[in-house]
Amino acid sequence: MAKRDYYEILGVARGAGDADLKKAFRQQAMKYHPDRNPGNAEAEHRFKELNEAYEVLRDPEKRAAYDRYGHAAFEGAAGFGAGGAAGFADIFDDLFGEFMGGRGGRGRQQARGADLRYDLDITLEEAYSGKQAEIRIPTAVPCDQCNGSGAAPGSRPITCPTCDGRGRVRAQQGFFTIERTCPTCQGQGETISNPCPKCNGAGRVRREKTLSVTVPKGVEDGTRIRLAGEGEAGPRGAGAGDLYIFLAVKPHRLFQRQGDLLFCEVPIPMTTAALGGQITVPTIAGKKAQLTIPPGSQTGAQFRLKAKGMPVLQTERYGDMVIQIQVETPVNLSKRQKDLLHEFEGEDRDVSPRSEGFFSRMKELWEDLTE
């Protein structure tokens, strides 16, 4: 059967540019990929045609030969067009590598250093005002004797003979070509014949590093701070990982936090609750605030102090502080105090409407009950 025209297969004009070729191939390859069409022989055939056409037309020299001589330019060549199976693997890397982690096609792969985690405990006051913390972390840093190369002073790494410096090797498995990290150089593309005596060729050494960390005001429990490039150094000059600092805010003895709100439970004397008055309450800023208690206040009543709560992260706004009162029953009364309370109790006035209403409803309930 005569081969179809490569431009027809891709659905582009003969004068199509590289971007148009790439776009057309990507659209068609996604449509006819075997993984999307299991058991479909027609789709598999179309997929092979697409790979063959694009492998030729993407290469300026091969495209020029095809434009001049047609398919006859590659008669006798093995595999796809003139590039063979290896050419197809290059195409697949070039077109779809960005979807597989952004490998960017060919080229050696340098392993980035590991990310690190550091847990930092802070107080609620420090979360309120922010702080500058100094931390010490054990990590891997570039070797100062070989400047991170891994090679002994006076020598240098050599191109890996297994992968020829690419950092990756290929193996044919049926229709597909599988590419993996080179086992000799571990993706570095280079090997070291004379390793640095200090780091044993790793290009990095273990050391404790001191860092200054800015904790902004308003952070909450579980907040994560990222310090880019402060993780472990990569092997042989590869990029460093990141350091992630996880903040844990310690419980406070007076305040409970909900977002930018602070809650504080304050006991008040029974007389203040009954007669009303002024009380002094603490704030997270380390100052005092005055709160007016209206006469007849009950346990559980809440009062809000504006802008006395926690700062809102990365803004100049502050939340409120909510004071919840607990009316305290007096203890260790003197005889005189007891007599006064008995006298108060004997007054025929409606001073406890909630309790009187409750017992009235309870009496009605009892009257409906039978033994």
Side-chain angles (χ1 to χ4, degrees), residues 273-355:
L275 302 175
Q278 292 276 334
I279 64 171
T280 302
V281 296
T283 68
I284 191 64
K287 299 179 181 180
K288 299 177 181 179
Q290 297 296 314
L291 178 64
T292 299
I293 304 297
S297 294
Q298 304 293 321
T299 289
Q302 292 185 340
F303 304 92
R304 187 176 290 249
L305 295 176
K306 293 292 185 181
K308 298 296 184 182
M310 296 296 292
V312 179
L313 189 63
Q314 297 180 338
T315 73
E316 295 301 320
R317 295 185 292 109
Y318 286 79
D320 299 337
M321 181 166 70
V322 178
I323 303 296
Q324 180 170 298
I325 63 170
Q326 295 289 327
V327 180
E328 185 177 20
T329 301
V331 296
N332 301 320
L333 299 176
S334 67
K335 183 177 183 304
R336 170 64 176 161
Q337 290 171 323
K338 291 179 181 178
D339 290 341
L340 288 173
L341 286 177
H342 284 306
E343 183 179 345
F344 171 79
E345 185 181 28
E347 290 286 337
D348 187 16
R349 294 184 60 195
D350 184 15
V351 296
S352 303
R354 292 179 62 184
S355 62

Side-chain angles (χ1 to χ4, degrees), residues 65-363:
Y66 178 75
D67 288 344
R68 185 171 184 180
Y69 301 108
H71 293 295
F74 309 112
E75 288 181 356
F80 304 118
F88 166 60
D90 289 345
I91 296 171
F92 202 82
D93 274 350
D94 184 41
L95 269 296
F96 300 103
E98 62 195 75
F99 300 111
M100 304 297 288
R103 290 192 295 127
R106 300 165 298 284
R108 71 185 189 185
Q109 307 296 306
Q110 284 192 302
R112 176 176 171 270
D115 293 336
L116 296 178
R117 170 176 177 149
Y118 186 90
D119 295 323
L120 179 62
D121 293 335
I122 62 173
T123 64
L124 188 62
E125 286 84 356
E126 290 169 337
Y128 172 83
S129 59
K131 69 173 295 186
Q132 199 71 24
E134 189 173 272
I135 63 174
R136 299 177 66 86
I137 56 170
T139 185
V141 299
C143 175
D144 55 6
Q145 186 164 327
C146 65
N147 294 320
S149 71
S155 66
R156 57 190 307 173
I158 62 173
T159 300
C160 174
T162 303
C163 64
D164 197 26
R166 296 181 67 251
R168 304 185 70 80
V169 293
R170 289 172 174 157
Q172 185 74 32
Q173 291 189 5
F175 172 69
F176 292 100
T177 297
I178 306 300
E179 188 176 85
R180 59 188 177 86
T181 301
C182 175
T184 302
C185 64
Q186 303 301 317
Q188 296 293 312
E190 298 175 331
T191 59
I192 297 175
S193 57
N194 186 16
C196 170
K198 184 172 182 179
C199 65
N200 294 320
R204 55 184 181 174
V205 293
R206 301 297 300 181
R207 186 177 299 165
E208 191 172 63
K209 183 165 61 174
T210 301
L211 294 172
S212 181
V213 181
T214 300
V215 178
K217 62 181 183 180
V219 294
E220 297 190 45
D221 188 70
T223 296
R224 186 183 72 172
I225 298 175
R226 173 176 173 262
L227 298 183
E230 295 294 351
E232 287 193 344
R236 301 180 193 172
D242 299 332
L243 172 64
Y244 292 91
I245 300 173
F246 287 80
L247 301 178
V249 181
K250 300 176 183 177
H252 198 276
R253 59 182 179 175
L254 292 180
F255 301 108
Q256 291 79 44
R257 178 182 184 179
Q258 291 183 14
D260 60 354
L261 292 178
L262 281 182
F263 291 83
C264 183
E265 191 174 275
V266 179
I268 64 172
M270 181 182 67
T271 51
T272 303
L275 302 175
Q278 292 276 334
I279 64 171
T280 302
V281 296
T283 68
I284 191 64
K287 299 179 181 180
K288 299 177 181 179
Q290 297 296 314
L291 178 64
T292 299
I293 304 297
S297 294
Q298 304 293 321
T299 289
Q302 292 185 340
F303 304 92
R304 187 176 290 249
L305 295 176
K306 293 292 185 181
K308 298 296 184 182
M310 296 296 292
V312 179
L313 189 63
Q314 297 180 338
T315 73
E316 295 301 320
R317 295 185 292 109
Y318 286 79
D320 299 337
M321 181 166 70
V322 178
I323 303 296
Q324 180 170 298
I325 63 170
Q326 295 289 327
V327 180
E328 185 177 20
T329 301
V331 296
N332 301 320
L333 299 176
S334 67
K335 183 177 183 304
R336 170 64 176 161
Q337 290 171 323
K338 291 179 181 178
D339 290 341
L340 288 173
L341 286 177
H342 284 306
E343 183 179 345
F344 171 79
E345 185 181 28
E347 290 286 337
D348 187 16
R349 294 184 60 195
D350 184 15
V351 296
S352 303
R354 292 179 62 184
S355 62
E356 290 175 1
F358 173 78
F359 286 111
S360 175
R361 291 191 299 272
M362 187 174 65
K363 182 179 180 182

Side-chain angles (χ1 to χ4, degrees), residues 7-26:
Y7 292 99
E8 179 186 342
I9 291 172
L10 291 174
V12 296
R14 284 191 167 267
D18 292 342
D20 292 331
L21 286 172
K22 190 173 185 177
K23 181 179 179 181
F25 174 74
R26 179 177 291 172

